[in-house]
Amino acid sequence: MRLTIIHPCIGRIPGKKYIKGWQMESLPAAHLAGLTPKHIDIKFYDDRMEKIPFDEPTDLVAISIETYTAKRAYQIATEYRRRNIPVVMGGFHATLVPEEVSEYAEAVVVGEAEAIWKNLISDFESGQLKRFYKSEKRPDITKIIPDRSILKGKRYLPIGLVEAARGCTFKCDFCVIQTYFDSTQNRKEIETILDEIKSISDKRKLIFFVDDNIVSHPKQAKEFYRALIPLKIRWVSQAAITMTHDDEMLQLLKESGCQGVLIGFESLNKDNLLKMNKSFNVTKGGIEAAVSKMNAFGIRLYATFIFGYENDTMDSFQEAVSFCIKHKIFMAAFNHLTPFPGTPLYKRLEEEGKLIYPKWWLADEYKYGQVPFRTELNPETIQLECVKARKSFYSYTSIWKRMFSKTNSGSFFMLQAYLFINLLLRKEAALRDLYPLGDLTFKGELLKVKDTALAFSKNS
């Protein structure tokens, strides 16, 4: 049996390269390959950096989709289904809106694949493919290892993506993660993670733990950091502000090779944070105390802010930029609030009649960066002010001011990293703005499952 795994891009403009010339490796594709029985012949194509050979013989196509890549994923599925090749879809969007996704795929994986993927493959081989596959509970991921052999030959950044834990225990109003994993977290076995790191560390200059919150379950997290210390690696990840409330945690992070973490500060407005269900961002001195703690331990900070909640004003954007420059924050993101389907935020905006499009991810009028709902500020104003905030933060003046920090440039390695990343993000401040969702070269209508009966032998 032949299986083709596809990583879809967001969209594509005729005659232009994809958004940027470099990409990080596709860990979801490698995970799926690692779950696939060994007798299956696997091909993998990354739509962000290569053309998909639709006419290449295959028996089944697997596509992992997020909301931003849904339209492009449906286009890819259409191309294969025109060739009588069945498609299975999974990932965040497939779990958030499985009924929608089922219109474009013969089978849909709802939730995590570990406990059900082999059953799906077996059903397909016996001609008994079901429409939906859903695990009754969160799977055991303690010993799961991705198959990175499918990534060979592709020009990814020399950053190794590793998953140590999956999910987050917080319940943030806008967050897809809390919806997808029901505010729980599963962890891998420490020895499994260490073996995975050792297998790639000689080829990767930096490890990126893709965990949604690397500091959930502090006792287990600290045990993991202690085990990392002998490896002498450099790594980054994503975390919650609560990590700054624990000096032992910060010390272990530093000793284990942590170079920096992304923390969602989201807003400087306390009422907005309460609306987001992120009241923990204002405890124990709040954001300012958190920045001071990070600097004290020499851990670089990637701070993210979102705009579009009711208490945002025209001053909110520059206030966030000024805060980040004043505190010499290493990196920062200034983005509009995005209502993803299935989240409490989306349901609230839908009930209040504030959504501009019923499904913004499929609306031809919608472009990346646009605000797809009505709020106190004009949606177009929020879009423009987010771009202005990025340009202001990554201006030469700001980069120069923030460079004079021991955390940002305390060594030659840190200085190099600081300048490379900040100058790159300066160049990309507006790169994705108003980028189309879906490939504009796609011809014809999206082909739905109900519109045709595929003549493939395995599932007819």
Side-chain angles (χ1 to χ4, degrees):
M1 175 186 160
R2 298 161 297 185
L3 172 69
T4 300
I5 300 174
I6 303 290
H7 183 123
C9 69
I10 289 176
R12 190 168 281 108
I13 299 174
K16 293 186 178 182
K17 289 185 177 180
Y18 188 53
I19 298 172
K20 53 191 175 186
W22 53 268
Q23 300 290 343
M24 286 195 284
E25 61 191 20
S26 176
L27 191 59
H31 266 138
L32 194 62
L35 297 173
T36 302
K38 299 301 181 186
H39 71 278
I40 306 293
D41 178 30
I42 300 175
K43 293 288 181 67
F44 166 61
Y45 297 102
D46 192 328
D47 188 42
R48 300 171 298 175
M49 54 200 309
E50 60 189 334
K51 289 185 177 181
I52 301 172
F54 291 109
D55 292 321
E56 180 181 77
T58 189
D59 298 305
L60 181 66
V61 173
I63 307 174
S64 179
I65 61 174
E66 298 177 359
T67 302
Y68 274 117
T69 64
K71 183 186 285 188
R72 177 57 184 151
Y74 299 159
Q75 291 175 343
I76 294 169
T78 293
E79 291 291 357
Y80 277 110
R81 299 187 72 254
R82 284 172 178 168
R83 293 161 172 81
N84 286 325
I85 297 169
V87 175
V88 55
M89 292 189 186
F92 283 106
H93 194 69
T95 299
L96 297 173
V97 284
E99 293 298 331
E100 173 194 298
V101 175
S102 72
E103 295 181 18
Y104 304 95
E106 276 62 47
V108 179
V109 174
V110 181
E112 297 159 277
E114 279 79 5
I116 52 181
W117 182 245
K118 288 184 179 179
N119 292 337
L120 185 152
I121 293 294
S122 177
D123 286 351
F124 176 75
E125 290 185 308
S126 63
Q128 302 296 320
L129 190 65
K130 300 180 181 67
R131 297 289 288 127
F132 295 95
Y133 289 82
K134 183 177 181 179
S135 180
E136 295 303 317
K137 59 182 180 179
R138 294 212 59 191
D140 179 3
I141 65 169
T142 53
K143 298 183 183 296
I144 295 296
I145 299 257
D147 179 2
R148 286 186 168 81
S149 65
I150 66 167
L151 308 178
K152 289 180 180 177
K154 303 188 191 299
R155 300 180 64 181
Y156 293 116
L157 282 177
I159 298 174
L161 273 59
V162 175
E163 183 181 60
R166 188 185 298 172
C168 178
T169 56
F170 290 117
K171 295 179 179 289
C172 301
D173 174 63
F174 57 83
C175 186
V176 171
I177 302 301
Q178 64 97 7
T179 303
Y180 189 90
F181 298 113
D182 196 23
S183 299
T184 63
Q185 186 187 67
N186 284 0
R187 302 187 67 86
K188 281 189 180 180
E189 191 177 70
I190 289 178
E191 284 304 316
T192 300
I193 308 168
L194 298 183
D195 288 343
E196 186 177 343
I197 293 170
K198 290 172 186 175
S199 72
I200 64 172
S201 58
D202 61 328
K203 307 179 190 72
R204 309 293 196 277
K205 295 180 180 178
L206 185 69
I207 299 296
F208 173 25
F209 290 115
V210 299
D211 302 28
D212 306 301
N213 183 359
I214 195 76
V215 297
S216 282
H217 303 299
K219 183 178 179 180
Q220 294 171 289
K222 289 175 184 179
E223 183 183 355
F224 172 52
Y225 305 144
R226 291 187 183 98
L228 284 180
I229 293 172
L231 299 187
K232 299 186 183 302
I233 60 170
R234 291 188 175 113
W235 63 272
V236 295
S237 191
Q238 305 168 116
I241 197 172
T242 52
M243 63 176 273
T244 64
H245 305 162
D246 187 335
D247 283 5
E248 182 187 27
M249 175 83 77
L250 291 169
Q251 185 61 38
L252 286 171
L253 282 165
K254 185 65 177 176
E255 290 177 4
S256 66
C258 179
Q259 302 298 301
V261 294
L262 181 155
I263 296 180
F265 284 172
E266 317 307 9
S267 179
L268 299 178
N269 184 291
K270 291 183 180 180
D271 291 331
N272 276 347
L273 291 171
L274 290 175
K275 191 79 174 180
M276 297 175 196
N277 203 26
K278 292 198 75 160
S279 58
F280 52 87
N281 269 18
V282 300
T283 60
K284 299 192 177 182
I287 292 171
E288 291 211 30
V291 174
S292 297
K293 274 293 183 71
M294 296 280 285
N295 285 331
F297 284 88
I299 299 173
R300 284 169 280 184
L301 174 62
Y302 181 7
T304 64
F305 292 84
I306 54 176
F307 302 93
Y309 273 95
E310 289 85 337
N311 294 290
D312 282 323
T313 67
M314 287 296 294
D315 294 330
S316 300
F317 304 90
Q318 190 54 49
E319 286 172 358
V321 172
S322 298
F323 175 90
C324 293
I325 295 174
K326 173 186 174 182
H327 292 282
K328 296 181 171 61
I329 289 175
F330 185 84
M331 296 166 61
F334 308 91
N335 297 315
H336 70 76
L337 180 64
T338 302
F340 289 102
T343 61
L345 170 68
Y346 189 93
K347 293 174 183 176
R348 176 164 56 83
L349 292 174
E350 187 175 42
E351 290 169 359
E352 295 172 355
K354 292 182 178 179
L355 294 175
I356 297 174
Y357 314 101
K359 295 182 178 181
W360 55 264
W361 55 92
L362 294 182
D364 290 337
E365 312 94 307
Y366 181 80
K367 303 293 186 295
Y368 190 94
Q370 290 180 323
V371 179
F373 64 96
R374 300 176 187 86
T375 185
E376 299 303 314
L377 291 175
N378 181 281
E380 187 176 349
T381 297
I382 297 173
Q383 171 207 333
L384 294 172
E385 290 299 319
C386 283
V387 174
K388 284 172 60 177
R390 289 180 216 128
K391 289 182 175 179
S392 177
F393 180 76
Y394 290 109
S395 67
Y396 288 125
T397 301
S398 169
I399 292 172
W400 176 258
K401 287 180 179 178
R402 291 181 291 111
M403 186 173 69
F404 293 99
S405 158
K406 186 177 180 181
T407 303
N408 291 345
S409 57
S411 69
F412 182 65
F413 172 80
M414 288 183 179
L415 179 60
Q416 273 188 314
Y418 173 80
L419 290 174
F420 173 78
I421 292 172
N422 276 265
L423 292 173
L424 179 66
L425 292 175
R426 170 185 166 77
K427 182 180 178 181
E428 296 184 353
L431 196 60
R432 290 173 177 249
D433 202 45
L434 299 182
Y435 203 84
L437 302 189
D439 188 342
L440 296 183
T441 65
F442 178 80
K443 294 180 174 59
E445 298 294 323
L446 294 176
L447 189 62
K448 294 186 178 182
V449 171
K450 65 181 180 181
D451 294 334
T452 184
L454 296 193
F456 59 91
S457 60
K458 295 289 185 181
N459 191 36
S460 56

